Every structure is written in C-alpha cells, then in structure tokens.
Amino acid sequence: KHTPPHFLVITSLFVEISMVLTTHCHWDHAGGNIEMARMFPNIPIIGGRGDNADAVTREVGDGDVIALGDLQVNSIFTPCHTPGHVCYVVKNAEQICAFTGDTLFIAGCGNFNNGTPEMMHEAFTKLNSLPEDTKLYVGHEYTLPNLQYAAFVEPSNVAIREKIEWAKSQISQSLPTIPGTIREERLINPFLRAVLGVPSLLQHCGCTDTVEALHFVRKEKTQGAWKSLM
C-alpha cells in the first residue's frame, strides 16, 4: 500500500501531530486533510469560516483563539483569495510567526479569486498591524518573480534590488527565501506599499486612492505586459 509522503516526513521527525491548521480550501493547501483525518482521527482540523475546506472540524474567523499545547494561535480572517481564507499568528516568548497562506507572499499578493480589492486591502491592513518583527511563513515561494515585478514598479528602490541579489544567492545554494518580516515587506512589497499609500507606488498607479492602487498593481502583475518593459 502506498504511504503518503507527508506521513513519511512525520514519522522521520518523531513528532506527534495534534492539530492541522488550514489557511484555505485550495487543493494545494487542503488536499492532504482527508488523509490526515484518516491517519489521525482524533485531532482537530481547523479552517476559515465559510471556506468549506476538506475535513475541517472547526471553522474560525477574526480573533478566534486556538489552543495548541502551550501555544496560543490567533486567527485573522482574510477572505478574498477564497471565501473564508484565514491566516494564523503564533507567539511565544521568543518570536511571533504568521502563516499567511495565499494572502501575502514575500513581495507579493494572492489573486482576488473570490473577493474584491477592498477585501484584500482590509486583509493587508490587518497583517500590517502585526509587530514589525513578525516572521512571515507564506503559502508559496514566489519570491524572485515577485521581486522582479516590485523592481519594475519601483526601479529606484534600493531595498528591492538588495533583496533580489539576496534571493538569487539563496536560491543558488538551494536555501529558502522565507520567512520574511512585516518590517521588510513594508519596504519591498508593492501590494503592501500600495495599501500604505507610499508616494512612489501611487505615482506608478496614477491614483491617490490606496484601494484603487492595490487593484492596479494586482491587475498589472497578472497581465504580465510589464515583463517586456524591464
């Protein structure tokens, strides 16, 4: 019988699985939930309210608290990419970590599949309210292509150019480019910088409204014409 690869990882690490936290319902994030529920039938599987992710036993929204051993997990409701997308914030004495799924990436932003620019603007505003040293564990490692678009938007941004060189070095050594931090995202993420009303972003977008600016950069990056202009 085929043994699922995640089960092999679990057994190799000698860890006990006590909970599954699901950011959203897409198969590449929730696709293992049914198998996890079969292998560990007594554990809670957490998901966002109204997202209908596979095998979820408890749905959470803004401000809900999840007890995980000695840890407290706080949920941030960030619908837009999916109807009930949720992010999770975990804090201990040493650090704060946020698991942002497909809402916020390093220098990037998820597609507005089931929501509006206003909804993603609200989601980014919530995440930006986290302490600046919060470590960001994102759902996909799209770091380099995201940074390339960021450099197109702000060609004079030194922080972006430095981050590109760092990311290239990490990738060349087969090292990860995550986690990031809220502090750094405020300097390099064109979507967050649009939400924050950074003048160079608003100038690029040709508007003064931050929701409109967020919508502009999301559409521009998706359409891809910018790649031929770099």
Side-chain angles (χ1 to χ4, degrees), residues 62-85:
D62 254 342
D64 286 337
V65 178
I66 307 150
L68 178 58
D70 294 332
L71 296 175
Q72 177 176 296
V73 181
N74 293 89
S75 62
I76 301 177
F77 198 49
T78 54
C80 185
H81 186 70
T82 63
H85 193 293

Side-chain angles (χ1 to χ4, degrees), residues 110-125:
N111 289 316
F112 307 169
N113 295 326
N114 294 100
T116 64
E118 289 81 4
M119 292 169 70
M120 189 62 81
H121 189 283
E122 181 178 358
F124 265 58
T125 300

Side-chain angles (χ1 to χ4, degrees), residues 42-200:
N42 297 319
I43 66 170
I45 298 179
I46 313 297
R49 187 165 297 143
D51 211 45
N52 297 316
D54 286 346
V56 163
T57 60
R58 177 187 172 190
E59 292 189 335
V60 294
D62 254 342
D64 286 337
V65 178
I66 307 150
L68 178 58
D70 294 332
L71 296 175
Q72 177 176 296
V73 181
N74 293 89
S75 62
I76 301 177
F77 198 49
T78 54
C80 185
H81 186 70
T82 63
H85 193 293
V86 67
C87 300
Y88 300 102
V89 179
V90 186
K91 179 180 180 180
N92 63 18
E94 288 79 38
Q95 61 184 333
I96 303 174
C97 301
F99 298 85
T100 61
D102 282 4
T103 292
L104 181 146
F105 304 121
I106 304 301
C109 172
N111 289 316
F112 307 169
N113 295 326
N114 294 100
T116 64
E118 289 81 4
M119 292 169 70
M120 189 62 81
H121 189 283
E122 181 178 358
F124 265 58
T125 300
K126 291 176 182 178
L127 292 171
N128 182 63
S129 71
L130 294 170
E132 64 176 13
D133 59 347
T134 300
K135 293 183 179 180
L136 301 172
Y137 291 89
V138 303
H140 296 278
E141 197 165 359
Y142 298 150
T143 306
L144 192 53
N146 285 346
L147 286 166
Q148 289 166 342
Y149 173 66
F152 167 76
V153 174
E154 293 187 279
S156 299
N157 186 318
V158 175
I160 292 171
R161 293 204 302 268
E162 291 177 347
K163 187 69 173 182
I164 287 174
E165 294 309 309
W166 175 85
K168 287 180 177 177
S169 175
Q170 291 290 103
I171 293 167
S172 71
Q173 302 172 72
S174 298
L175 296 173
T177 59
I178 55 174
T181 64
I182 292 291
R183 180 191 300 110
E184 190 171 46
E185 289 303 294
R186 291 171 181 163
L187 298 175
I188 67 171
N189 188 316
F191 305 94
L192 181 56
R193 288 169 67 77
V195 169
L196 295 175
V198 174
S200 54

Side-chain angles (χ1 to χ4, degrees), residues 24-36:
H24 63 291
C25 61
H26 288 166
W27 68 269
D28 53 336
H29 296 263
N33 282 6
I34 292 174
E35 185 65 21
M36 291 293 281

